[in-house]
């Protein structure tokens, strides 16, 4: 959709809203156990709402299932998100997420990531974690994101990606300033 990043997207009877400054220590989908613990600055979250006869009601509370923090500060999970037009696939990104890079040993780099969720039996479940295959620190993978209406194609932006590639090859599509990742999410 054309909604500003981190603000929300509505498709039919489902609304997804990003909250990148949310601070709870919860993890995964609908985990209320850490929701009262607000010790993780800028951890971020996404909220899903459904429209019914009585108006809008919250149906899901989405947090990353694995830590994406560096030095006790979160990555703003939910800063960008996209909900497929059919309401069955959700992508939630954190453009400054810290991941461990094999080429950098055990040192975490803020490279960005996107978590992909699929709706099954009314609930959203994590199905994939995406990051750029040639990630460098501060690439910003996930600064923009857009899912196709049927949830089978995904484009992810990385505005700070700075490799010297001047063309796209079959081995590493992520070497451009705009990272375009196409994923087949099955029967989404």
């Amino acid at each position: 959709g054309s909604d500003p990043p981190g603000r929300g997207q509505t498709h039919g009877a489902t609304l997804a809203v990003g909250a990148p400054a949310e601070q709870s220590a919860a993890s995964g989908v609908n985990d209320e156990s850490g929701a009262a613990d607000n010790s993780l600055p800028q951890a971020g979250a996404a909220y899903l709402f459904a429209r019914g006869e009585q108006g809008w009601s919250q149906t899901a509370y989405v947090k990353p299932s694995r830590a994406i923090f560096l030095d006790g500060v979160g990555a703003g999970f939910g800063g960008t998100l996209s909900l497929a037009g059919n309401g069955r696939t959700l992508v939630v990104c954190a453009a400054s997420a810290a991941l461990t890079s094999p080429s950098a040993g055990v040192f975490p780099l803020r490279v960005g990531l996107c978590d992909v969720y699929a709706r099954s039996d009314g609930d959203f479940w994590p199905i994939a974690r995406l990051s750029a295959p040639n990630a460098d620190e501060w690439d910003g993978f996930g600064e923009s994101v857009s899912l196709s209406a049927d949830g089978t194609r995904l484009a992810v932006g990385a505005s700070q990606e700075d490799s010297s590639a001047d063309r796209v090859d079959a081995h590493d599509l992520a070497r451009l300033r705009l990272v375009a990742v196409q994923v087949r999410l099955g029967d989404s």
Side-chain angles (χ1 to χ4, degrees):
S2 60
D3 300 309
R7 303 285 171 109
Q9 289 195 336
T10 183
H11 293 289
T14 304
L15 170 68
V17 179
E22 193 267 359
Q23 303 182 93
S24 85
S27 66
V29 179
N30 294 326
D31 172 22
E32 296 295 330
S33 65
D37 176 356
N38 288 318
S39 63
L40 298 173
Q42 299 177 350
Y47 297 86
L48 283 103
F49 299 88
R51 183 176 44 210
E53 292 179 13
Q54 303 299 318
W56 292 95
S57 61
Q58 183 177 328
T59 59
Y61 171 59
V62 180
K63 298 283 288 183
S65 58
R66 288 183 278 155
I68 54 173
F69 305 98
L70 184 60
D71 297 330
V73 177
F77 184 77
T80 57
L81 52 75
S82 186
L83 179 65
N86 61 15
R88 294 177 60 192
T89 307
L90 172 69
V91 178
V92 184
C93 300
S96 62
L99 299 175
T100 300
S101 170
S103 63
V106 296
F107 301 104
L109 301 173
R110 288 196 175 270
V111 297
L113 64 79
C114 296
D115 284 348
V116 182
Y117 300 84
R119 181 178 279 176
S120 176
D121 297 325
D123 293 324
F124 277 93
W125 300 94
I127 60 170
R129 174 163 277 183
L130 307 175
S131 60
N134 65 334
D136 288 321
E137 186 143 31
W138 298 112
D139 275 352
F141 184 86
E143 284 183 344
S144 57
V145 61
S146 183
L147 265 171
S148 63
D150 65 0
T152 61
R153 289 189 192 88
L154 172 64
V156 180
S159 66
Q160 301 303 310
E161 203 289 327
D162 59 358
S163 72
S164 60
D166 59 0
R167 62 186 163 85
V168 176
D169 62 33
H171 300 293
D172 192 1
L173 185 59
R175 290 191 291 182
L176 295 177
R177 280 196 139 339
L178 176 65
V179 178
V181 179
Q182 287 193 8
V183 293
R184 189 82 173 145
L185 299 175
D187 187 24
S188 333

